[in-house]
């Protein structure tokens, strides 16, 4: 068996982002089928599979010389199944490939440790950070035979949201008409007009820019369109953290790409942070983040009316911004 063969290997696909996990497993299956077109695929649910089921699945078949065994929900495996998997990983069969999917979390942590010690390869399928979403969109566009500029990619994220399946679907929709082209903001807005105005990031952008009235209108529209209140507080938290990092580094004369890396955002967003920073002081950002934490707790169950909690958050953010501006004016030197 060649050294790059998938057979004779055990791979752990680990993380809660189901789209990435599915794609990782599908890629391994595609490699296996490329090596052995007649490969047999056996799927096991770890919540119900027994050690005997695993032995049968990995024991070969009368109808195919090679097989792939996919184990779903590895965190629910009992001790017996886990022991068999670790044993197989340590002494694999050259005609069998095993893929074990674990959705993250604390379930089955001991089994993960034993698999790591057995030298099992790991593919991460963790949720993407906010600043990684535009790269995901750009990658999807490349896969579809297109390119997309940074502002257009962010516009799509703001229009569609953070769900990777929805983003992948949106890029696929654009590819039906724009394959081979470069996507711009105008193209994205043409296809997704109206959706960009109902995201938590749109609400946050107006609030941080000192437009509380517009932020309130967008908040109410977003909530009426089904945007979850927790998505709004998450957007505020991400934007305020980036703004705080920008304020802390703005005196260092950094290039936009360097500042973007420090702030954890795409280079296109540095211009937005630069404009927002004119109205904020670090202390105001800190107070706003405290308000966001309180609102986040409220919308996740600590309050009976999450919509009211978000409206109060807008007021708190505006007060934090105004207080910072007032302190900055008061501390400025006076001229005679």
């Amino acid at each position: 068996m060649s050294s790059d063969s998938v057979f004779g290997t055990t791979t752990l696909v680990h993380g809660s982002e189901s789209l990435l996990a599915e794609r990782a497993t599908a890629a391994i299956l595609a490699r296996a089928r490329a090596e052995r077109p007649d490969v047999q695929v056996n799927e096991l649910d770890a919540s119900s599979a027994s050690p005997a089921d695993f032995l049968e699945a990995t024991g070969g078949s009368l109808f195919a010389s090679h097989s792939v065994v996919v184990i779903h929900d590895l965190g629910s495996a009992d001790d017996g199944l886990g022991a068999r998997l670790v044993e197989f990983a340590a002494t694999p069969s050259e005609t069998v490939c095993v893929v074990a999917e674990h959705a993250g979390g604390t379930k089955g942590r001991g089994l993960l440790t034993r698999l790591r010690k057995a030298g099992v390869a790991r593919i991460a399928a963790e949720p993407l950070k906010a600043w990684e979403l535009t790269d995901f969109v750009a990658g999807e566009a490349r896969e579809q035979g297109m390119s997309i500029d940074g502002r257009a990619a962010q516009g799509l994220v703001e229009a569609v949201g953070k769900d990777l399946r929805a983003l992948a679907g949106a890029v696929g929709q654009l590819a039906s008409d724009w394959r081979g082209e470069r996507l711009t903001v105008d193209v994205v807005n043409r296809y997704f007009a109206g959706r960009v105005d109902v995201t938590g990031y749109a609400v946050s952008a107006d609030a941080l820019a000192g437009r509380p009235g517009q932020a309130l209108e967008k908040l109410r529209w977003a909530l009426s369109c089904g945007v979850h209140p927790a998505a709004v507080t998450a957007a505020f938290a991400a934007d305020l953290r980036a703004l705080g990092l920008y304020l802390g580094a703005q005196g260092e004369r950094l290039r936009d790409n360097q500042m973007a890396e420090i702030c954890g955002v795409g280079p296109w967003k540095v211009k937005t942070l630069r404009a927002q920073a004119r109205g904020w002081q670090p202390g105001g950002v800190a107070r706003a983040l405290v308000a966001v934490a309180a609102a986040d707790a409220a919308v996740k169950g600590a309050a009976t009316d999450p919509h009211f909690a978000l409206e109060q958050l807008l007021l708190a953010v505006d007060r934090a911004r105004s207080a910072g501006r007032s302190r900055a004016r008061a501390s400025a030197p006076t001229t005679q």
Side-chain angles (χ1 to χ4, degrees):
M1 192 67 61
S2 64
S3 60
D4 59 350
S5 173
V6 297
F7 296 103
T9 67
T10 300
T11 301
L12 172 67
V13 179
H14 183 255
S16 59
E17 180 46 70
S18 60
L19 176 64
L20 298 182
E22 289 171 11
R23 287 183 172 182
T25 298
I28 295 173
L29 288 173
R31 287 180 58 194
R33 290 186 173 112
E35 288 187 53
R36 296 284 179 169
D38 63 340
V39 66
Q40 178 172 306
V41 178
N42 301 313
E43 299 191 51
L44 300 176
D45 186 335
S47 64
S48 57
S50 67
D53 293 328
F54 180 78
L55 287 174
E56 180 180 358
T58 57
S61 167
L62 295 175
F63 306 102
S65 60
H66 289 67
S67 61
V68 176
V69 179
V70 181
I71 305 175
H72 303 289
D73 191 18
L74 184 63
S76 298
D78 62 22
D79 292 341
L81 177 59
R84 289 296 186 187
L85 177 59
V86 172
E87 180 183 348
F88 180 89
T91 57
S93 165
E94 291 190 353
T95 61
V96 180
C97 167
V98 173
V99 182
E101 298 176 341
H102 190 288
T106 59
K107 290 178 62 177
R109 180 175 294 176
L111 175 56
L112 295 181
T113 300
R114 284 183 286 155
L115 288 173
R116 185 176 65 251
K117 291 180 178 178
V120 167
R122 178 182 179 275
I123 298 176
E126 303 293 348
L128 299 185
K129 302 293 190 297
W131 59 86
E132 296 175 317
L133 294 173
T134 53
D135 288 340
F136 174 80
V137 169
E140 290 293 301
R142 285 192 298 272
E143 288 292 324
Q144 296 283 355
M146 304 178 294
S147 63
I148 185 169
D149 64 45
R151 289 178 60 81
Q154 181 60 30
L156 191 62
V157 172
E158 292 179 352
V160 176
K162 296 182 178 181
D163 184 81
L164 296 192
R165 292 184 188 278
L167 286 172
V171 174
Q173 180 182 346
L174 290 167
S176 64
D177 293 330
W178 294 88
R179 196 178 306 277
E181 304 290 335
R182 181 169 179 80
L183 301 178
T184 65
V185 172
D186 290 340
V187 171
V188 170
N189 288 342
R190 189 185 312 169
Y191 278 72
F192 299 96
R195 294 183 66 178
V196 68
D197 292 332
V198 295
T199 67
Y201 284 98
V203 178
S204 174
D206 275 340
L208 269 59
R211 299 187 292 267
Q214 294 181 37
L216 180 59
E217 289 179 9
K218 289 182 179 179
L219 172 65
R220 290 173 174 171
W221 177 246
L223 295 174
S224 71
C225 292
V227 174
H228 195 284
V232 178
T233 56
F236 269 90
D239 283 350
L240 282 166
R241 282 195 295 268
L243 179 58
L245 290 168
Y246 180 90
L247 289 171
Q250 65 178 343
E252 299 182 20
R253 297 183 179 180
L254 301 171
R255 296 187 180 90
D256 282 1
N257 62 332
Q258 295 173 312
M259 182 64 81
E261 185 174 353
I262 289 174
C263 298
V265 299
W268 62 270
K269 184 141 186 177
V270 173
K271 182 179 180 180
T272 301
L273 291 172
R274 187 179 297 119
Q276 291 174 342
R278 299 188 188 105
W280 286 87
Q281 295 294 316
V285 173
R287 285 188 290 276
L289 281 169
V290 171
V292 170
D296 190 60
V299 302
K300 291 177 179 176
T304 56
D305 188 349
H307 292 197
F308 177 73
L310 291 178
E311 292 185 5
Q312 293 300 300
L313 171 62
L314 294 186
L315 295 175
V317 168
D318 193 54
R319 286 195 298 270
R321 183 177 185 275
S322 299
R325 288 170 61 86
S326 298
R327 285 181 172 83
R329 286 195 295 269
S331 63
T334 57
T335 58
Q336 297 297 327

